[in-house]
Each structure stands twice: as C-alpha cells, then as structure tokens.
Amino acid sequence: MADTGAGMSNLDILQGMSLEQIKAVTEVFQQCSDSYLFILDLNTDVYMVSEKATKRFPFDNTVMENCTAVLKDVIYPSDYAMLRADIEKCASGEQDTHALEYRWLDRKGRVVWISCMGTVVTGTDGHRLLVGRVSELGKKAKADNITGLRREARFRLNAEALLRDQPKAIRYVMRVGIDNFKEINEKEGVEAGDEVLQELAECILKTVDEKVDVYRLMADEFLVVDATDTIYKDPNTIYDELQKKIADMVKKKEYSRFYTVSAGVIEGDFTGRTAEEILRLTEFTLNEAKRNGRNQMAMYDQASYDEYLKRLDMRKELRKAINRQFEGFEVYYQPIVSTTGYHLVGAEALLRWHSEKYGNVSPAVFIPILEESSLIIPVGKYVLWEAANTCKKWKEYIPSFHINVNLSYVQLYRSDLLKDVDKCIQEVGLDSDSLVLELTESGYIETNGRIKEFFRELKEKKIDLALDDFGTGYSNMRYLKEIEAKTVKIDRSFVVQALQNEYDYSIISHIIDMVHSLGSSVCMEGIEEQEELNKMMQTKPDMIQGYYFGKPTSAAQFEEQFLRIKDSL
Ligand code: C2E
Ligand code: MG
Ligand code: MG
C-alpha cells in the first residue's frame, strides 16, 4: 500500500473523489495511452473502464455494477475461469498484482488477445481496488532490439491508416533482403548475423531521407516506405546508393563478412491496396530479384505476378492429377532410328499432360513446375514404369529395342533413384541394357558425391546413360567422360544452327568425331526434312530422332505406325 505521506493511502484519496471526478481523471490519462484503463472495486464488484474500451468491446457503459456478470460477455469463454481465479486472489489479499494475457471478444465477436496488468490499492478501511490497463497484444508494435527499427506490426498499423486516408501519398515501398544471410548465420554464428543486420539498417537509414519509414520484417528483410513530401529519390537511386554504402561498409570491416542485398519495389497508385497485399507483393518481387541472380533490384510487374499465380495453380492441378492415379498424364514415344539403313532401334519416352483446366500443357512448362515442387519424383517413377512395361512389350517385335527415359536431377539428388530403377527392371523383367537414362548437363554438380556413386552403380548394373541436350550448355567433354555416356544427344537448336551456318556445321562435325573417339555414339535430334537429313548425315551421326521419322505419339499409335507393319521406316 503506498502511503501519501499524510497518513492517507492512494485509495483514501480516490475515495475522497466522486465517481465523476475519477472518470474524468481516467479519461485524461486514457488520451496518453494506447491501452484501456480500468478500475475494479474488489469489494463491491463495480467495474469502471475507459470510454475507448466500450467502443471496441461489448460493454454497455463505462461504469458497471456487476463486473463478474458483465465480463462474461467480453471474455473468451474458456479464459473466464482463469481470470476469475486471479481476481479472487486479488480480492482475498492473496496477491496485490494482476498480470495475465488472455482473450477478449470484440463487438463483432472476434477474438482479441490482450495483456491485462493491474495493482491492488488498499484503503485504510481495508477497501481494495484493482487499478490497471488492458493492452491489445496485436497492436503492440514492438521495436526490434537488434536494429532499433520498428517491426511489421507497426508497419501494418501505419500502412492501414495511410492506405485508408491518403493512399496517393505513398510513392513506393521497397523490400530489401540480404542475399546470403542464411550462410552468414550458419557459417559465422547468429551474432555475426545480428551485426550484419545492424550494419544494413544503418546503411538503409543513411540512404533514405529521415522522414522515410524503415521497418524490419522477419529475419533479414527490411521495408522502406516513402510517403513523404520531401525531395523524391527514385527507388533505383536509393538502391544504387544502398549498394555503394554496403560495399563501403564491407570494405571498412576488412571484408570480414561479405554480403550483398536484393530489393523488390512497388511503385504507383496504392489506392485500394492493403498492408497485407503490399507485404505479399513486395515479397514476390524481392524473390524475383533473387531468382534473377541476386544483387539486383526488381520492380513489381502485374503480368509476372499473374504468371506466378498461374504456376502455383498449375502445381495444385498437377498434384491433384498425381493423387488421382496420374489422371491426365500419358507417356508418348518418339522413334529413334539407326543411320545404317534407318532401322527403328528404340524410342524416347516423352511425358504429356492434359489438364482439365489448362488443356494440353507443354512439358517445357509443366516439367519445371514438377521439378520445383519435387513432384517429379512420383511422376518420374510413373514414366519409368510405363516406359519399361511398354519396352518389354515392344521387344517382341524388335528384340534389341531400347527405351530412353528422361531423368531430372531432382530425382537423382532427392530420391532413391537407383533403387527405383533396379526395382522397376526386376519387376517388369526387362534386360538392363534395354533401358537408357537421359540426363542433361545443366544440373550436374561436380562436387556431389552422390552423383558419382550413381554413375558408378549404373555402370555396374550395365544401364546406359545418354547425355541429353548437348550443344545447349557448356558441351563439356570432360563431363561426357565422367558420366561415361554411351550416347550423346545433339539438341535440335544446335542442329538448326549447323544447318544455317558453316561454322556451327563444322563444330558439330568435329564434336561427333571427338565423341566417337571417346567410344560413345551420337543421336541427332530434331531432323524434320529430307534436306536436313541429307546434310546432317555427312557429319556421321549414329542415330536420328526427329519429326522426319516420326513425332512423339501414344503407345497404341506408335505400335500401329512403327511396329505392327514394319520394323524399318
Ligand atoms: P528432350 O528430352 O530433349 O526431348 C526431345 C524434345 O524434342 C521433345 O520435346 C520432342 O518432341 C522434341 N523433338 C523431337 N524431334 C523434333 C523435331 O524434329 N522438331 C522439333 N521441333 N522438335 C522435336 P517435348 O516432348 O516437348 O519435351 C521437351 C522436354 O521435356 C524434353 O526434352 C525433356 O527435357 C522434358 N521431358 C519430357 N518428358 C520428360 C520426362 O518424362 N521426364 C523429364 N524429367 N523430362 C521430360
Ligand atoms: Mg531427352
Ligand atoms: Mg534432347
């Protein structure tokens, strides 16, 4: 009990005031606070709350006779008993403070988390009052202890007000993220990460006008909101200056930690936008900048965002199709012929997808989506089994027939591919030399031990590899040697170039000679016309795959067209 120095307690003073006077004082203090002030008379159960609270929560009045009953309408039902027990303790004298976090219901019945803090003041006559405040936890925009900046909750509050009252005042919102923050944290520890965050916050604050708002979001991301009427610095200038400041900072710290930042920006009219939307769109745009190679700024573009949403939706559709026993998927086959007599020697299995919603979708579109989401793992298995079964069947027409199946590196790195291949061959009863696995050069990671092991075991099992898309990447001969590819498949784009200019033609000729000298064979892809065939045959490929001999078709049609009638085309 606090003594006022004249033998009176605080409560004695309060008791000397009329209810109207107490209410007036409370309202004055209320103006200086985000919280709701309250007084609960623990003896009489009279409850007084500031007027602001009655607007947001279902209190009928600022002074209520029967607190126990009244609070029942305001408090989330399952939290009521806990609150009651705590108030009982205050009333009985067992405790003199009250501090609880629990839930209230607003006037629309929505849950609001609150923090309630109070102190019991006791009069000389033993009268006890609980005096305190209720704060909404969601509204508490705590500052960030690392950077000293305000956090996302504060951005939401400020942005909502701004978007409601003067959306046109917002010039741009820029989201800045560190490109390699996870690496810094992992390699050098969280303290190093915190220091980098402080440095970056400092650089941002030095770059923008002091009236520009800067917030720290989750992890390593910052939000810069320019809704000022000061001299306008466009986002490009801001980003350039920020990059320079960071580079200087990194240099000043003697390159002890190297980092770069990317940024995503929305500009233009913000009318009708919400804080949530700004967060979502800047996050997307920042990720675009990172996807484009990091250390750069991207501007929000509605078309790319729509495209992104479409890809997300396609992913959903693909997942649905997979869960419905691969509904809409079909494996097509394209003939591969030997250049000696143009005999059919095998086929490449090529996946097709017909979506209910999007119609026939090109593999160039859906394969990357399957890869990003790792859904290529179940789909790859499906293709493998389909192709193996089909090959087994077609070997009745051509005993040496082989089937080529495309593999994604995702399958190789993230699934037990070898076991699956093994199981498939066993179950289908296919000779291992009837299966050729196609891999491109582009996903190869030299240092990955798993991939070397994969090549070694494939060799042991006598399963051949084909190096696909040759001529589109580095066309690395060393890689060819490393994977010991039985076949190199020269991509159509390279063939088209060779048909158009002598220089590329001469390169292809030499590459084919080199591949032969390494003991591998060459399959040339994408021959469409007789003329093309005539010209490219002079470079001495071993096999041809192209529309000239046949487009990819369904298994039934392939059988009809190429196997039942004749075995040479
Ligand atoms: P790829 O493995 O290089 O397959 C050859 C592509 O070239 C096929 O395209 C084929 O239809 C096309 N092509 C063949 N001959 C000609 C021609 O004469 N002219 C033209 N213009 N094109 C020709 P498709 O079927 O659209 O497949 C594209 C890519 O999708 C494939 O390239 C492959 O990388 C990927 N893909 C297809 N199926 C699968 C699969 O089951 N798994 C994986 N991981 N990737 C697949
Ligand atoms: Mg292929
Ligand atoms: Mg290819």
Side-chain angles (χ1 to χ4, degrees), residues 348-350 404-407 437-440 466-469 489 491 525 545:
E348 178 172 7
L350 293 159
N404 286 30
V405 175
N406 291 286
L407 288 187
L437 300 179
E438 294 197 5
L439 267 177
T440 61
L467 181 57
D468 203 359
D469 293 354
K489 297 189 79 175
D491 193 71
E525 286 190 295
Q545 180 184 341

Side-chain angles (χ1 to χ4, degrees), residues 330-332 334-335 348-352 361-368 370-371 376 379-380 382-384 404-411 438-440 468-470 489-492 496 524-529 532 545-552:
E330 189 175 355
V331 180
Y332 269 35
Q334 186 179 24
E348 178 172 7
L350 293 159
L351 185 60
R352 296 292 177 261
V361 183
S362 158
V365 173
F366 74 79
I367 296 279
L370 289 174
E371 289 184 326
I376 193 72
V379 174
Y382 158 82
V383 175
L384 185 65
N404 286 30
V405 175
N406 291 286
L407 288 187
S408 154
Y409 281 90
V410 176
Q411 289 170 273
E438 294 197 5
L439 267 177
T440 61
D468 203 359
D469 293 354
F470 200 78
K489 297 189 79 175
I490 296 184
D491 193 71
R492 171 171 162 80
V496 169
M524 193 165 275
E525 286 190 295
I527 299 290
E528 293 184 352
E529 308 285 340
E532 295 174 2
Q545 180 184 341
Y547 291 175
Y548 180 73
F549 290 108
K551 287 189 172 181

Side-chain angles (χ1 to χ4, degrees), residues 106-126:
D106 71 7
R107 282 195 169 272
K108 287 192 174 145
R110 288 173 305 205
V111 172
V112 180
W113 274 97
I114 55 108
S115 143
C116 184
M117 306 267 286
T119 313
V120 177
V121 285
T122 314
T124 40
D125 60 355

